[in-house]
Amino acid sequence: MAMLEVKNLGISFGGLRAVNGFDIKIEKGELYGLIGPNGAGKTTVFNLLTGVYKPDTGSIVLDGTEITGKSTIEISKAGIARTFQNIRLFKDMSVLDNVKTGLHNKHEYSFLAGIFHTPAYQKVEKQMNEQAMELLRVFELEEEADTLASNLPYGKQRKLEIARAMATEPKLLLLDEPAAGMNPNETEALMDMIRFVRDHFNMTVLLIEHDMRLVSGICEELTVLNFGEVLAQGRTSDVLHNPQVITAYLGE
Ligand SMILES: Nc1ncnc2c1ncn2[C@@H]1O[C@H](COP(=O)(O)OP(=O)(O)OP(=O)(O)O)[C@@H](O)[C@H]1O
Ligand SMILES: [Mg+2]
């Protein structure tokens, strides 16, 4: 069974058909790229998948469960986590606490236990610290655990966003241009890290990029979006040789 199966997804904003007839099928553990020029509809697809927008056509099935039209919270609980094109961190919280906000979705203790710091609360808190530190190690942020998120260099803020998304233990991780604003060395290191996350956690990842070279280096499958519609789709090597893609996208 596919981890994500989307059929005929569409949405209009006023007279603009931002996404139309969008289909995608992503297998478990796949590293999949969604590419296309500015304004193609990539972020809108993420907003539809995560319940920020309700589609006016189509269906979204996550790991066999229909999630079409559900709220952002329900979809997060169903197992989709995302990062945003513009970084959204809790800037006044430490790096560790930012990751722990993701873990809070998984651990439950009563409100009173939290206020009175009961032994049960302390145990959960300790577990959360350990889990959060483990994620920070994966993303090479453990030395900055106590640093305020706003004091991190830009590239590390981007990594922290991914660590926080991973803390929710998602089934599907959506990354919206995670390398935006990074220098070439940082970008390469980030791509290695994304590959590691996929391999280590057997995570299913859908990655938005507008730089074709970047995604073609790490993604097994690609969908090329243009003016809200799928221009090409399939194995990366096939898509890169697709004449339509070469003309419309690489011919710039
Ligand atoms: N809430 C909205 N209201 C009106 N128009 C919108 C809204 N969200 C997106 N759009 C429009 O939908 C189209 C697709 O936008 P989207 O942000 O999905 O593109 P994108 O492929 O992510 O582009 P970029 O590479 O610049 O991030 C654009 O024309 C955009 O202006
Ligand atoms: Mg976008």
Side-chain angles (χ1 to χ4, degrees):
M1 183 198 303
M3 179 51 82
L4 181 74
E5 187 154 17
V6 173
K7 286 191 184 139
N8 194 33
L9 200 64
I11 190 170
S12 296
F13 298 114
L16 174 81
R17 192 77 183 143
V19 173
N20 189 44
F22 180 83
D23 296 341
I24 201 168
K25 190 173 176 185
I26 305 180
E27 300 300 332
K28 190 172 183 354
E30 201 163 37
L31 187 38
Y32 199 115
L34 178 59
I35 61 176
N38 287 338
K42 305 179 297 294
T43 298
T44 304
V45 167
F46 274 18
N47 285 332
L48 289 166
L49 295 179
T50 53
V52 174
Y53 300 144
K54 305 269 178 265
D56 48 41
T57 61
S59 70
I60 306 167
V61 175
L62 178 74
D63 201 17
T65 305
E66 169 98 41
I67 56 165
T68 322
K70 294 213 188 284
S71 69
T72 51
I73 292 171
E74 285 169 321
I75 289 175
S76 160
K77 284 193 173 147
I80 299 185
R82 77 182 286 189
T83 64
F84 292 87
Q85 196 162 355
N86 301 310
I87 295 178
R88 293 190 193 175
L89 289 168
F90 298 106
K91 302 260 180 187
D92 298 329
M93 283 165 60
S94 72
V95 166
L96 184 71
D97 283 342
N98 264 277
V99 174
K100 281 166 69 181
T101 61
L103 290 171
H104 275 289
N105 287 346
K106 291 281 152 190
H107 295 271
E108 288 185 9
Y109 40 72
S110 75
F111 176 63
L112 287 178
I115 290 181
F116 294 112
H117 286 214
T118 60
Y121 168 85
Q122 285 169 10
K123 189 168 160 229
V124 170
E125 195 63 16
K126 185 161 172 275
Q127 267 177 3
M128 282 175 44
N129 277 333
E130 281 164 10
Q131 274 177 282
M133 281 308 293
E134 205 173 308
L135 274 169
L136 290 183
R137 271 192 287 279
V138 169
F139 290 91
E140 293 168 0
L141 289 168
E142 73 270 34
E143 291 186 0
E144 283 94 350
D146 297 325
T147 305
L148 277 188
S150 54
N151 290 341
L152 280 185
Y154 184 81
K156 291 193 173 185
Q157 292 194 14
R158 285 245 169 241
K159 287 189 203 166
L160 176 56
E161 270 218 303
I162 304 177
R164 188 180 58 183
M166 284 298 296
T168 65
E169 296 178 27
K171 292 179 169 180
L172 172 67
L173 179 64
L174 307 180
L175 304 176
D176 196 346
E177 302 205 25
M182 285 187 172
N183 67 39
N185 286 342
E186 284 176 326
T187 301
E188 203 174 314
L190 181 77
M191 291 301 141
D192 286 345
M193 213 160 271
I194 292 170
R195 218 187 323 239
F196 177 83
V197 164
R198 190 278 298 273
D199 295 345
H200 188 71
F201 299 97
N202 192 26
M203 186 53 51
T204 312
V205 184
L206 178 58
L207 173 74
I208 290 182
E209 252 302 326
H210 62 255
D211 182 345
M212 174 83 95
R213 277 156 304 184
L214 205 66
V215 272
S216 56
I218 68 165
C219 293
E220 289 109 24
E221 302 241 350
L222 292 181
T223 287
V224 183
L225 209 54
N226 206 18
F227 298 110
E229 299 201 348
V230 173
L231 183 70
Q233 191 163 60
R235 305 294 302 169
T236 299
S237 51
D238 296 339
V239 170
L240 293 181
H241 291 106
N242 180 315
Q244 264 189 308
V245 174
I246 294 169
T247 320
Y249 192 60
L250 292 176
E252 58 192 16

